[in-house]
Every structure is written in structure tokens, then in C-alpha cells.
Amino acid sequence: MKIKEYKELVDYTMKRKKSDLVLKNANVLMLQTSEIIKADVAIKGKYIVGVGEYNGDIEIDCSDKFLAPGFVDSHLHFESTMANPNELVHYASMNGTTAFIADPHEAANVSGLRGIEYILEQTRFSTGDVFIMLPSCVPSKDSEDTGYIMNSDDMKKIIDNSRILGLGEVMDCKAVLDCKDSMMEKLELFEDKPKDGHVLGLNDLELSAYAMSGILTDHECSSYDEAIKKIRNGMYIHIREGSAAKNLKNIVEGIVSNDMDISRFNFCTDDKHIEDIQREGHISYNIRKSIELGMKAIDAYKIASYNPSLCYGLSDIGMIAPGKKANLVILNNLEKVEIVDVLFEGNIISKNYKQTTNNRKIEDKKIKNNKLENDKINSSNHINSDDLHRENIKKSANISEIIDDKFDDLMDTIHIGEFNKSMLAFKSENYAIELVDGELLTKKIKASSGKGHLNKVVDIERHHNTGKYHVAKVFGFAIKNGAIASSVSHDSHNVIVIGDNDRDIMIAIEKLKEIKGGYVLVENGSVYQFVPLPVMGLMSNLSSEEVNIRISDMTKKAHEMGVNENIEAFITLSFIALPVIPEIRITTNGLYDVIEDKYLD
């Protein structure tokens, strides 16, 4: 807190003035001391000004409620959710997450600094604090065909933005270990700021060297033993549970069975779609599941709030104490994480989401009443004071208007010239990709040893119309009489298609070009359904409800068409070209062996 703010607020802490709002007689989670105390929490403006006994202009009886600090998602990619970032923040914040540490490397791989500026602009007035970790690996590998190459000079242009928190996940481990100049420049630029990691396939010595560079976190652990090894090297571990990767059970069971200290663990989602947030929660789900697995409730809440605030140096959140932001979660039940309401900067978040334009303004309604009337609390115990709601109340707009003229260029990013059926012959004859049930991992196999229905996977460069592409064999996807295409293809986000016949593959490609990016499902020569993602080929201009309906329909249909029931069709499609996850990936340059760090063609 700045001294100017302190001078304005100290009279409220000292009870010389009445606070705007007091949450009375609450069971307050004091995560900094691992205890729960009975106390009032006094709020003035966006800050907590006191914990103890206080009176306020509005007082809410919370004698049967718990108060927790707002939760933190320690690592996520807005672009991977397909939704407008502001909309995703709304639904996540309704579930208690009031701080988001985002790595926009998907947007940067397509549109560079323009993509990052878009994320910043879209979340400027969101119902949560959105911080940005500047992408460290754009592209993820030097040979990748991306829309942009980001170097340290680019980073210097934006690093002074107050919402730039640190350096995003460092996926190019080899560049760190080899002291590659471009990587050293980035690490040095962020020498005094947090740096996120992405560690896969390193031996003990390599891991030690990687951590010694100052990289602070990792979110790629799938086992407890792997997590502890990294913590012993001084790192924080983000326990990940999202729509795609789900590592929480293995790690939390290890923490519980070994009675391990939890101070170096945080929660993250990485990628979690709005329909999953609406169904099961956000970081709230991670807390609930951890408690169900035997973790102490207070520890689960510390991992959700207190630990990440320390990890990232966010001194004004993460605990309930004077001078901290009034980002609070009001709960009926601690273990079940039954949320009554969520406050962001002292205002209860409205359940009613209104999409607004980039030029919107948010005005926090002032508290007018001297007391909270009885009819402000309904039968479900939801605190519903209109005087406390933070709402987007200016310049409401259609969902299709989320891009203003300032970002028109982000709506035209699919640049593929002539591509015809004659180009769909296999370029890789010796090796093939085999998918692993329930995992994003793949196996490198001899093409002749593949089992099950053979599919063709095509990767086409779409940023600069270079004409580069590759075609290979894939087993374990198993779509029959059709094809699926996507412009979401981590991390380079070229066009990726899987199908079992050339006609349907071509139809899928042409439809994808027509809608300027998205997902397309083709069956027997006809487009069955599509989801347009025209914002950088990554995010939709449809409402999340419409996107969810179409994705659900397409997923069901894909499985009816033979797609392996043990994989998620569109998530699998979007990760099959990511050359930092073992064992083998397709790229525009050929099949790539991640373990041996070489191309196979």
C-alpha cells in the first residue's frame, strides 16, 4: 500500500471513522498463521482496513460463514479456453478466483506484442486481477514456424506495464543449459522478477542447472516424486488440474501420505474451459478435491491463496489482514467449498455477465444505505445487495463486438495459399505417432507396427503463407469417414488436420480458411459442425454458451465416428504438434523426436 493510501485509510483502521462495509462475526481463515478466528472484517473502498471488532455503514452478519482470501490461478493461458478473456475471468471469479497469472504465449506465437496487448486490454476492467508473464519461448523451438519471433528487445517495449509480473514458462530447457545468448538476455532482463518454468525430461544435473538459473516454478509434474525433486532444487510446484492435464490426485496423495510441508505448492489450471468451470468450479475445485484426498482444509486454502502470493511477490493479496485488497470468498462450508459470494476490491461480483466493448468503463456503485435490508438476503443465503455489486454498466454490446477497430488485424490470421489433394501424400514413411490413452504424451513407433485404424495427420503453416506443410501417419485417434481440423495447435498454432480420407481433409481445410480459424468436423463429404475462432484463430466471437453447445455436439459426434473414447478429440488435436512434450510430434518441418531433439525426416 502506498503511503498516500495509508493516510486516507488509517482513520478507519483506528475506528475514528466508520468503514463502508463490515462482515460481522465471520470465521476468518488466517492463512498466515494457519488458524481460523472469529472476527469482523472491515472494508473501505478496495481494501481491508481492520480485522477485529468494527462497525460499518453496511454490516452483514457472517456468523455462520467462513471468509477466505480470493484464490489465485498460478498459471493459465486465456487463449486455450477459446473464450473472451474477460468472460473467463468473470466465471472463474464467481467461483472464488480473483487473481490470474497468465502466460499469453499462444497469442504471442500468432500475433506477437499485439496479441499480448489484446489480452491486457480485454482484462483491464475484469472482476479479478490479471497479471501477465511475458512469453519466453516464442517460438517454443527455434525451427518452429510461428507468426512472430519475440526477443528481449520486444520485451523491453512492454516490461514496464504494471501488470507485467515476470517471465513466462521457459520451455526451451536446452537453451538455458547451453547458455544460449538469446535466452540469457531474457533471463537477465527478468533477473529480479519471477520466472516460470516448464521442465520435462531433464536428468538430475540438468534440473539443478536449470533451477540455478533463477527459474522459480514448474507446472509439468505428473507425480509426487517428480514434484519433490524439483522442490529440493528450490522451485515452487504448481499442482495442475484443468480441462486437459490433470495431475492433482497423484501429487496431493503423495503430500498427504508423506505428511509433506505444503509451503512450496500452488494450484493452477493451465487450461480450463468455461463449461468445466461452470460444472465443477475453478481453483475451488482443486481445493475441494485436495480436501477429499485427505489434505487439511487450511493447507488446501493456503495453496490456493497464500502460497502463490508469496511466490509471485503479490504483497497486497493472499491473506486477510489490514492493508490487503478486499478480495474475499464467503463460504457456507469450508470442506465442500460452498461459495455464497465473492468480493473483488470490496464489491460483490454480480452473477450477471454482460459482454462489453474494449472501450467500456466499469463504475463501482457506491454504498448508499445505512443498513442492509432483510430482503437483501434470499433463501439461498446469497448476499444480493445491488449497492455492493461490481458490474459492467457502460456501453453494453453484442458478443460479436468484442474486437474494436484497434484490433481488426487480429481477425485475419489464416494465411494459406493453394493447397490441394495432391499434396496429401505421406511425407513420413518410416515413423508414426501413436497416441496414449488419457494422456497428452505420444509414442514414437515404426509406421509398419501401428495398430488399429490408420489416420493421416497434416500440419500446414498458416501465418506467412510459406507453403510449408507435413503429412504423417497417426494411430490411436481412429476417426472414420471424416476429418477434424483446427487452427489451435500449440504452440505455433498452424493448421492441424486429422482424417482418414483426402476428400474430407480438404473440405475441413477449406472451411477452416473460410471461417478464419476454429474447429471443423467433416463427415462423409459434408461439414457436420464448426466453431469459429476468428480472434487470432484462437478465440471465439460467439458466447461461451454457444461455443459449449457446439463443442459438446462435435465431441459426441467425433466419438460416434470412431474417435478413441479415451481421448478428448479437440484437445488431442491441439497438442499433437507441440514439440516440447514427449515423445514425438508433427511440425511443419517434419516429425520431431522430442527425447532425442531431432527431426526424423
Side-chain angles (χ1 to χ4, degrees), residues 82 243-246 273 275-276 435-440 476-477 484 498 519 550-556 558-559 563-576:
M82 298 179 289
S243 294
K246 301 176 186 293
H273 296 169
E275 69 269 26
D276 294 327
L435 302 179
V436 178
D437 285 2
E439 298 280 353
L440 296 179
F477 195 82
I484 300 181
I498 295 181
Y519 292 128
R550 293 195 189 196
I551 287 289
S552 178
D553 179 39
M554 291 167 72
T555 299
K556 180 181 177 182
H559 289 305
V563 172
N564 186 344
E565 291 287 345
N566 297 312
I567 64 172
E568 209 293 327
F570 295 101
I571 290 175
T572 298
L573 189 66
S574 68
F575 278 95
I576 201 168

mmCIF file of all heavy atoms in Angstrom, residues 82 243-246 273 275-276 435-440 476-477 484 498 519 550-556 558-559 563-576:
data_model
loop_
_atom_site.group_PDB
_atom_site.id
_atom_site.type_symbol
_atom_site.label_atom_id
_atom_site.label_comp_id
_atom_site.label_asym_id
_atom_site.label_seq_id
_atom_site.Cartn_x
_atom_site.Cartn_y
_atom_site.Cartn_z
ATOM 1 N N MET A 82 -10.656 -20.649 -25.417
ATOM 2 C CA MET A 82 -11.457 -20.253 -26.585
ATOM 3 C C MET A 82 -12.379 -19.078 -26.318
ATOM 4 O O MET A 82 -12.947 -18.512 -27.233
ATOM 5 C CB MET A 82 -12.289 -21.434 -27.118
ATOM 6 C CG MET A 82 -11.464 -22.600 -27.607
ATOM 7 S SD MET A 82 -12.488 -23.969 -28.191
ATOM 8 C CE MET A 82 -13.174 -24.587 -26.653
ATOM 9 N N SER A 243 -8.754 -28.577 -17.850
ATOM 10 C CA SER A 243 -9.579 -29.366 -18.773
ATOM 11 C C SER A 243 -8.774 -30.449 -19.467
ATOM 12 O O SER A 243 -9.304 -31.501 -19.810
ATOM 13 C CB SER A 243 -10.212 -28.447 -19.828
ATOM 14 O OG SER A 243 -11.131 -27.562 -19.239
ATOM 15 N N ALA A 244 -7.491 -30.207 -19.677
ATOM 16 C CA ALA A 244 -6.647 -31.171 -20.376
ATOM 17 C C ALA A 244 -5.797 -31.965 -19.391
ATOM 18 O O ALA A 244 -6.029 -33.152 -19.160
ATOM 19 C CB ALA A 244 -5.769 -30.458 -21.394
ATOM 20 N N ALA A 245 -4.817 -31.330 -18.800
ATOM 21 C CA ALA A 245 -3.900 -32.019 -17.887
ATOM 22 C C ALA A 245 -4.477 -32.054 -16.475
ATOM 23 O O ALA A 245 -4.951 -31.040 -15.953
ATOM 24 C CB ALA A 245 -2.548 -31.313 -17.886
ATOM 25 N N LYS A 246 -4.410 -33.230 -15.852
ATOM 26 C CA LYS A 246 -4.959 -33.431 -14.512
ATOM 27 C C LYS A 246 -3.923 -34.191 -13.679
ATOM 28 O O LYS A 246 -3.811 -35.401 -13.770
ATOM 29 C CB LYS A 246 -6.276 -34.200 -14.579
ATOM 30 C CG LYS A 246 -7.351 -33.508 -15.422
ATOM 31 C CD LYS A 246 -8.611 -34.357 -15.530
ATOM 32 C CE LYS A 246 -9.630 -33.743 -16.476
ATOM 33 N NZ LYS A 246 -10.188 -32.482 -15.987
ATOM 34 N N HIS A 273 -11.737 -24.792 -19.557
ATOM 35 C CA HIS A 273 -12.794 -24.197 -20.355
ATOM 36 C C HIS A 273 -13.965 -23.756 -19.477
ATOM 37 O O HIS A 273 -14.196 -24.308 -18.398
ATOM 38 C CB HIS A 273 -13.276 -25.189 -21.413
ATOM 39 C CG HIS A 273 -12.208 -25.542 -22.406
ATOM 40 N ND1 HIS A 273 -12.344 -26.572 -23.310
ATOM 41 C CD2 HIS A 273 -10.983 -25.021 -22.645
ATOM 42 C CE1 HIS A 273 -11.256 -26.662 -24.066
ATOM 43 N NE2 HIS A 273 -10.423 -25.726 -23.668
ATOM 44 N N GLU A 275 -17.154 -24.186 -19.686
ATOM 45 C CA GLU A 275 -18.157 -25.190 -19.334
ATOM 46 C C GLU A 275 -17.699 -26.058 -18.165
ATOM 47 O O GLU A 275 -18.505 -26.481 -17.329
ATOM 48 C CB GLU A 275 -18.518 -26.071 -20.539
ATOM 49 C CG GLU A 275 -17.424 -27.008 -21.025
ATOM 50 C CD GLU A 275 -16.546 -26.407 -22.095
ATOM 51 O OE1 GLU A 275 -16.417 -25.161 -22.159
ATOM 52 O OE2 GLU A 275 -15.985 -27.185 -22.896
ATOM 53 N N ASP A 276 -16.395 -26.310 -18.074
ATOM 54 C CA ASP A 276 -15.866 -27.073 -16.942
ATOM 55 C C ASP A 276 -15.880 -26.233 -15.662
ATOM 56 O O ASP A 276 -16.145 -26.749 -14.571
ATOM 57 C CB ASP A 276 -14.437 -27.535 -17.234
ATOM 58 C CG ASP A 276 -14.370 -28.536 -18.382
ATOM 59 O OD1 ASP A 276 -15.340 -29.315 -18.526
ATOM 60 O OD2 ASP A 276 -13.390 -28.527 -19.140
ATOM 61 N N LEU A 435 -0.928 -42.328 -30.221
ATOM 62 C CA LEU A 435 -1.489 -41.598 -29.093
ATOM 63 C C LEU A 435 -1.568 -42.487 -27.864
ATOM 64 O O LEU A 435 -1.707 -43.708 -27.977
ATOM 65 C CB LEU A 435 -2.879 -41.063 -29.444
ATOM 66 C CG LEU A 435 -2.946 -40.143 -30.675
ATOM 67 C CD1 LEU A 435 -4.385 -39.712 -30.930
ATOM 68 C CD2 LEU A 435 -2.053 -38.930 -30.492
ATOM 69 N N VAL A 436 -1.473 -41.873 -26.692
ATOM 70 C CA VAL A 436 -1.537 -42.588 -25.416
ATOM 71 C C VAL A 436 -2.879 -42.280 -24.762
ATOM 72 O O VAL A 436 -3.222 -41.108 -24.575
ATOM 73 C CB VAL A 436 -0.387 -42.171 -24.482
ATOM 74 C CG1 VAL A 436 -0.495 -42.883 -23.140
ATOM 75 C CG2 VAL A 436 0.963 -42.450 -25.137
ATOM 76 N N ASP A 437 -3.635 -43.305 -24.433
ATOM 77 C CA ASP A 437 -4.955 -43.109 -23.833
ATOM 78 C C ASP A 437 -4.876 -42.228 -22.586
ATOM 79 O O ASP A 437 -4.054 -42.458 -21.689
ATOM 80 C CB ASP A 437 -5.568 -44.454 -23.435
ATOM 81 C CG ASP A 437 -6.079 -45.240 -24.633
ATOM 82 O OD1 ASP A 437 -5.924 -44.752 -25.761
ATOM 83 O OD2 ASP A 437 -6.626 -46.346 -24.430
ATOM 84 N N GLY A 438 -5.741 -41.210 -22.539
ATOM 85 C CA GLY A 438 -5.855 -40.369 -21.355
ATOM 86 C C GLY A 438 -4.691 -39.444 -21.095
ATOM 87 O O GLY A 438 -4.602 -38.829 -20.035
ATOM 88 N N GLU A 439 -3.764 -39.328 -22.044
ATOM 89 C CA GLU A 439 -2.568 -38.506 -21.845
ATOM 90 C C GLU A 439 -2.353 -37.598 -23.060
ATOM 91 O O GLU A 439 -2.851 -37.853 -24.154
ATOM 92 C CB GLU A 439 -1.325 -39.396 -21.672
ATOM 93 C CG GLU A 439 -1.366 -40.326 -20.467
ATOM 94 C CD GLU A 439 -1.017 -39.635 -19.178
ATOM 95 O OE1 GLU A 439 -0.607 -38.453 -19.231
ATOM 96 O OE2 GLU A 439 -1.150 -40.257 -18.111
ATOM 97 N N LEU A 440 -1.574 -36.551 -22.828
ATOM 98 C CA LEU A 440 -1.119 -35.722 -23.938
ATOM 99 C C LEU A 440 0.180 -36.263 -24.527
ATOM 100 O O LEU A 440 0.615 -35.822 -25.592
ATOM 101 C CB LEU A 440 -0.919 -34.278 -23.477
ATOM 102 C CG LEU A 440 -2.174 -33.543 -23.012
ATOM 103 C CD1 LEU A 440 -1.828 -32.135 -22.557
ATOM 104 C CD2 LEU A 440 -3.226 -33.497 -24.114
ATOM 105 N N GLY A 476 -4.353 -44.452 -33.062
ATOM 106 C CA GLY A 476 -4.952 -44.226 -31.754
ATOM 107 C C GLY A 476 -5.995 -43.130 -31.732
ATOM 108 O O GLY A 476 -6.677 -42.935 -30.732
ATOM 109 N N PHE A 477 -6.115 -42.379 -32.839
ATOM 110 C CA PHE A 477 -7.177 -41.369 -32.943
ATOM 111 C C PHE A 477 -8.440 -42.018 -33.499
ATOM 112 O O PHE A 477 -9.515 -41.904 -32.923
ATOM 113 C CB PHE A 477 -6.718 -40.214 -33.830
ATOM 114 C CG PHE A 477 -7.573 -38.980 -33.699
ATOM 115 C CD1 PHE A 477 -7.369 -38.097 -32.654
ATOM 116 C CD2 PHE A 477 -8.577 -38.693 -34.631
ATOM 117 C CE1 PHE A 477 -8.155 -36.953 -32.525
ATOM 118 C CE2 PHE A 477 -9.356 -37.549 -34.513
ATOM 119 C CZ PHE A 477 -9.148 -36.678 -33.460
ATOM 120 N N ILE A 484 -11.133 -33.910 -38.859
ATOM 121 C CA ILE A 484 -11.247 -32.796 -37.908
ATOM 122 C C ILE A 484 -10.086 -31.842 -38.173
ATOM 123 O O ILE A 484 -8.936 -32.275 -38.299
ATOM 124 C CB ILE A 484 -11.194 -33.276 -36.446
ATOM 125 C CG1 ILE A 484 -12.337 -34.248 -36.141
ATOM 126 C CG2 ILE A 484 -11.273 -32.094 -35.502
ATOM 127 C CD1 ILE A 484 -12.350 -34.744 -34.699
ATOM 128 N N ILE A 498 -6.675 -34.023 -38.838
ATOM 129 C CA ILE A 498 -6.585 -35.482 -38.791
ATOM 130 C C ILE A 498 -7.821 -36.051 -39.492
ATOM 131 O O ILE A 498 -8.948 -35.626 -39.217
ATOM 132 C CB ILE A 498 -6.507 -36.024 -37.349
ATOM 133 C CG1 ILE A 498 -5.222 -35.571 -36.660
ATOM 134 C CG2 ILE A 498 -6.588 -37.558 -37.350
ATOM 135 C CD1 ILE A 498 -5.059 -36.097 -35.236
ATOM 136 N N TYR A 519 -12.514 -24.687 -35.175
ATOM 137 C CA TYR A 519 -12.601 -26.135 -35.252
ATOM 138 C C TYR A 519 -13.629 -26.514 -36.314
ATOM 139 O O TYR A 519 -14.697 -25.876 -36.403
ATOM 140 C CB TYR A 519 -13.048 -26.743 -33.923
ATOM 141 C CG TYR A 519 -12.063 -26.618 -32.789
ATOM 142 C CD1 TYR A 519 -12.461 -26.088 -31.554
ATOM 143 C CD2 TYR A 519 -10.757 -27.059 -32.926
ATOM 144 C CE1 TYR A 519 -11.568 -25.989 -30.503
ATOM 145 C CE2 TYR A 519 -9.859 -26.965 -31.879
ATOM 146 C CZ TYR A 519 -10.268 -26.436 -30.667
ATOM 147 O OH TYR A 519 -9.386 -26.337 -29.627
ATOM 148 N N ARG A 550 -21.727 -26.172 -29.259
ATOM 149 C CA ARG A 550 -21.141 -26.717 -30.490
ATOM 150 C C ARG A 550 -20.022 -27.710 -30.188
ATOM 151 O O ARG A 550 -19.945 -28.770 -30.827
ATOM 152 C CB ARG A 550 -20.605 -25.579 -31.354
ATOM 153 C CG ARG A 550 -21.681 -24.664 -31.904
ATOM 154 C CD ARG A 550 -21.145 -23.808 -33.027
ATOM 155 N NE ARG A 550 -22.085 -22.780 -33.448
ATOM 156 C CZ ARG A 550 -21.992 -22.113 -34.576
ATOM 157 N NH1 ARG A 550 -20.995 -22.359 -35.418
ATOM 158 N NH2 ARG A 550 -22.878 -21.169 -34.889
ATOM 159 N N ILE A 551 -19.154 -27.381 -29.241
ATOM 160 C CA ILE A 551 -18.051 -28.287 -28.907
ATOM 161 C C ILE A 551 -18.588 -29.606 -28.364
ATOM 162 O O ILE A 551 -18.104 -30.692 -28.720
ATOM 163 C CB ILE A 551 -17.112 -27.633 -27.868
ATOM 164 C CG1 ILE A 551 -16.277 -26.535 -28.528
ATOM 165 C CG2 ILE A 551 -16.194 -28.676 -27.232
ATOM 166 C CD1 ILE A 551 -15.207 -27.038 -29.479
ATOM 167 N N SER A 552 -19.601 -29.533 -27.510
ATOM 168 C CA SER A 552 -20.199 -30.754 -26.952
ATOM 169 C C SER A 552 -20.787 -31.619 -28.057
ATOM 170 O O SER A 552 -20.589 -32.850 -28.091
ATOM 171 C CB SER A 552 -21.275 -30.381 -25.933
ATOM 172 O OG SER A 552 -21.904 -31.528 -25.413
ATOM 173 N N ASP A 553 -21.491 -30.987 -28.969
ATOM 174 C CA ASP A 553 -22.093 -31.709 -30.093
ATOM 175 C C ASP A 553 -21.015 -32.336 -30.971
ATOM 176 O O ASP A 553 -21.117 -33.519 -31.366
ATOM 177 C CB ASP A 553 -22.952 -30.736 -30.901
ATOM 178 C CG ASP A 553 -23.597 -31.390 -32.114
ATOM 179 O OD1 ASP A 553 -24.040 -32.554 -32.002
ATOM 180 O OD2 ASP A 553 -23.651 -30.743 -33.177
ATOM 181 N N MET A 554 -19.970 -31.578 -31.271
ATOM 182 C CA MET A 554 -18.910 -32.072 -32.144
ATOM 183 C C MET A 554 -18.112 -33.188 -31.464
ATOM 184 O O MET A 554 -17.697 -34.152 -32.123
ATOM 185 C CB MET A 554 -17.993 -30.921 -32.540
ATOM 186 C CG MET A 554 -18.652 -29.908 -33.463
ATOM 187 S SD MET A 554 -17.707 -28.372 -33.646
ATOM 188 C CE MET A 554 -16.329 -28.936 -34.656
ATOM 189 N N THR A 555 -17.896 -33.064 -30.167
ATOM 190 C CA THR A 555 -17.159 -34.105 -29.435
ATOM 191 C C THR A 555 -17.936 -35.414 -29.440
ATOM 192 O O THR A 555 -17.368 -36.495 -29.693
ATOM 193 C CB THR A 555 -16.897 -33.656 -27.994
ATOM 194 O OG1 THR A 555 -16.098 -32.466 -28.006
ATOM 195 C CG2 THR A 555 -16.173 -34.730 -27.207
ATOM 196 N N LYS A 556 -19.226 -35.325 -29.173
ATOM 197 C CA LYS A 556 -20.072 -36.522 -29.198
ATOM 198 C C LYS A 556 -20.061 -37.160 -30.580
ATOM 199 O O LYS A 556 -19.914 -38.389 -30.719
ATOM 200 C CB LYS A 556 -21.501 -36.153 -28.792
ATOM 201 C CG LYS A 556 -22.463 -37.334 -28.782
ATOM 202 C CD LYS A 556 -23.877 -36.879 -28.402
ATOM 203 C CE LYS A 556 -24.855 -38.055 -28.465
ATOM 204 N NZ LYS A 556 -26.245 -37.618 -28.153
ATOM 205 N N ALA A 558 -17.772 -36.857 -32.915
ATOM 206 C CA ALA A 558 -16.444 -37.396 -33.228
ATOM 207 C C ALA A 558 -16.286 -38.804 -32.666
ATOM 208 O O ALA A 558 -15.739 -39.695 -33.331
ATOM 209 C CB ALA A 558 -15.365 -36.475 -32.676
ATOM 210 N N HIS A 559 -16.754 -39.010 -31.454
ATOM 211 C CA HIS A 559 -16.665 -40.353 -30.871
ATOM 212 C C HIS A 559 -17.581 -41.340 -31.610
ATOM 213 O O HIS A 559 -17.225 -42.513 -31.785
ATOM 214 C CB HIS A 559 -17.013 -40.309 -29.380
ATOM 215 C CG HIS A 559 -15.960 -39.655 -28.545
ATOM 216 N ND1 HIS A 559 -14.645 -40.063 -28.549
ATOM 217 C CD2 HIS A 559 -16.016 -38.607 -27.680
ATOM 218 C CE1 HIS A 559 -13.939 -39.306 -27.718
ATOM 219 N NE2 HIS A 559 -14.745 -38.413 -27.184
ATOM 220 N N VAL A 563 -13.644 -41.931 -33.057
ATOM 221 C CA VAL A 563 -12.541 -41.374 -32.277
ATOM 222 C C VAL A 563 -12.468 -42.068 -30.920
ATOM 223 O O VAL A 563 -13.481 -42.250 -30.234
ATOM 224 C CB VAL A 563 -12.691 -39.844 -32.107
ATOM 225 C CG1 VAL A 563 -11.653 -39.308 -31.130
ATOM 226 C CG2 VAL A 563 -12.546 -39.159 -33.458
ATOM 227 N N ASN A 564 -11.266 -42.457 -30.564
ATOM 228 C CA ASN A 564 -10.977 -43.170 -29.320
ATOM 229 C C ASN A 564 -11.699 -42.526 -28.135
ATOM 230 O O ASN A 564 -11.539 -41.343 -27.860
ATOM 231 C CB ASN A 564 -9.459 -43.136 -29.106
ATOM 232 C CG ASN A 564 -9.003 -43.963 -27.920
ATOM 233 O OD1 ASN A 564 -9.777 -44.356 -27.064
ATOM 234 N ND2 ASN A 564 -7.702 -44.225 -27.883
ATOM 235 N N GLU A 565 -12.504 -43.319 -27.426
ATOM 236 C CA GLU A 565 -13.257 -42.810 -26.274
ATOM 237 C C GLU A 565 -12.342 -42.358 -25.141
ATOM 238 O O GLU A 565 -12.776 -41.616 -24.251
ATOM 239 C CB GLU A 565 -14.220 -43.894 -25.754
ATOM 240 C CG GLU A 565 -15.377 -44.209 -26.684
ATOM 241 C CD GLU A 565 -16.428 -43.098 -26.718
ATOM 242 O OE1 GLU A 565 -16.401 -42.223 -25.826
ATOM 243 O OE2 GLU A 565 -17.260 -43.103 -27.643
ATOM 244 N N ASN A 566 -11.096 -42.803 -25.141
ATOM 245 C CA ASN A 566 -10.168 -42.480 -24.057
ATOM 246 C C ASN A 566 -9.369 -41.202 -24.297
ATOM 247 O O ASN A 566 -8.467 -40.881 -23.525
ATOM 248 C CB ASN A 566 -9.210 -43.648 -23.821
ATOM 249 C CG ASN A 566 -9.924 -44.898 -23.362
ATOM 250 O OD1 ASN A 566 -10.751 -44.849 -22.458
ATOM 251 N ND2 ASN A 566 -9.636 -46.024 -24.001
ATOM 252 N N ILE A 567 -9.692 -40.498 -25.375
ATOM 253 C CA ILE A 567 -9.025 -39.218 -25.621
ATOM 254 C C ILE A 567 -10.081 -38.154 -25.892
ATOM 255 O O ILE A 567 -11.208 -38.463 -26.301
ATOM 256 C CB ILE A 567 -8.041 -39.283 -26.811
ATOM 257 C CG1 ILE A 567 -8.781 -39.566 -28.118
ATOM 258 C CG2 ILE A 567 -6.957 -40.307 -26.577
ATOM 259 C CD1 ILE A 567 -7.906 -39.461 -29.349
ATOM 260 N N GLU A 568 -9.729 -36.895 -25.632
ATOM 261 C CA GLU A 568 -10.594 -35.766 -25.954
ATOM 262 C C GLU A 568 -10.160 -35.269 -27.329
ATOM 263 O O GLU A 568 -9.036 -34.800 -27.502
ATOM 264 C CB GLU A 568 -10.452 -34.677 -24.897
ATOM 265 C CG GLU A 568 -11.698 -33.816 -24.695
ATOM 266 C CD GLU A 568 -12.027 -32.958 -25.910
ATOM 267 O OE1 GLU A 568 -11.091 -32.533 -26.610
ATOM 268 O OE2 GLU A 568 -13.229 -32.741 -26.159
ATOM 269 N N ALA A 569 -11.047 -35.374 -28.289
ATOM 270 C CA ALA A 569 -10.671 -35.191 -29.693
ATOM 271 C C ALA A 569 -9.985 -33.849 -29.958
ATOM 272 O O ALA A 569 -8.909 -33.799 -30.569
ATOM 273 C CB ALA A 569 -11.904 -35.333 -30.581
ATOM 274 N N PHE A 570 -10.581 -32.766 -29.507
ATOM 275 C CA PHE A 570 -10.063 -31.444 -29.883
ATOM 276 C C PHE A 570 -8.819 -31.061 -29.074
ATOM 277 O O PHE A 570 -7.924 -30.394 -29.587
ATOM 278 C CB PHE A 570 -11.168 -30.400 -29.741
ATOM 279 C CG PHE A 570 -12.297 -30.644 -30.699
ATOM 280 C CD1 PHE A 570 -13.470 -31.246 -30.272
ATOM 281 C CD2 PHE A 570 -12.175 -30.315 -32.036
ATOM 282 C CE1 PHE A 570 -14.503 -31.500 -31.155
ATOM 283 C CE2 PHE A 570 -13.202 -30.559 -32.935
ATOM 284 C CZ PHE A 570 -14.366 -31.156 -32.495
ATOM 285 N N ILE A 571 -8.773 -31.476 -27.831
ATOM 286 C CA ILE A 571 -7.570 -31.214 -27.033
ATOM 287 C C ILE A 571 -6.394 -32.007 -27.586
ATOM 288 O O ILE A 571 -5.277 -31.504 -27.723
ATOM 289 C CB ILE A 571 -7.829 -31.542 -25.550
ATOM 290 C CG1 ILE A 571 -8.800 -30.523 -24.950
ATOM 291 C CG2 ILE A 571 -6.517 -31.548 -24.757
ATOM 292 C CD1 ILE A 571 -9.218 -30.805 -23.535
ATOM 293 N N THR A 572 -6.636 -33.276 -27.920
ATOM 294 C CA THR A 572 -5.585 -34.106 -28.509
ATOM 295 C C THR A 572 -5.080 -33.493 -29.812
ATOM 296 O O THR A 572 -3.871 -33.414 -30.058
ATOM 297 C CB THR A 572 -6.119 -35.525 -28.779
ATOM 298 O OG1 THR A 572 -6.507 -36.113 -27.530
ATOM 299 C CG2 THR A 572 -5.052 -36.395 -29.421
ATOM 300 N N LEU A 573 -6.007 -33.043 -30.633
ATOM 301 C CA LEU A 573 -5.647 -32.417 -31.906
ATOM 302 C C LEU A 573 -4.771 -31.182 -31.680
ATOM 303 O O LEU A 573 -3.778 -30.961 -32.375
ATOM 304 C CB LEU A 573 -6.920 -32.030 -32.645
ATOM 305 C CG LEU A 573 -6.800 -31.561 -34.094
ATOM 306 C CD1 LEU A 573 -6.315 -32.690 -34.986
ATOM 307 C CD2 LEU A 573 -8.151 -31.039 -34.585
ATOM 308 N N SER A 574 -5.108 -30.392 -30.666
ATOM 309 C CA SER A 574 -4.405 -29.130 -30.452
ATOM 310 C C SER A 574 -3.021 -29.306 -29.848
ATOM 311 O O SER A 574 -2.219 -28.370 -29.875
ATOM 312 C CB SER A 574 -5.251 -28.204 -29.565
ATOM 313 O OG SER A 574 -5.355 -28.706 -28.253
ATOM 314 N N PHE A 575 -2.721 -30.491 -29.306
ATOM 315 C CA PHE A 575 -1.401 -30.711 -28.689
ATOM 316 C C PHE A 575 -0.489 -31.629 -29.506
ATOM 317 O O PHE A 575 0.666 -31.830 -29.145
ATOM 318 C CB PHE A 575 -1.560 -31.295 -27.274
ATOM 319 C CG PHE A 575 -1.840 -30.258 -26.232
ATOM 320 C CD1 PHE A 575 -3.147 -29.969 -25.862
ATOM 321 C CD2 PHE A 575 -0.812 -29.556 -25.619
ATOM 322 C CE1 PHE A 575 -3.416 -29.001 -24.902
ATOM 323 C CE2 PHE A 575 -1.065 -28.595 -24.659
ATOM 324 C CZ PHE A 575 -2.372 -28.315 -24.298
ATOM 325 N N ILE A 576 -0.978 -32.164 -30.597
ATOM 326 C CA ILE A 576 -0.195 -33.159 -31.324
ATOM 327 C C ILE A 576 1.014 -32.550 -32.039
ATOM 328 O O ILE A 576 1.909 -33.266 -32.482
ATOM 329 C CB ILE A 576 -1.099 -33.927 -32.321
ATOM 330 C CG1 ILE A 576 -0.460 -35.268 -32.702
ATOM 331 C CG2 ILE A 576 -1.413 -33.070 -33.548
ATOM 332 C CD1 ILE A 576 -1.413 -36.199 -33.441
#
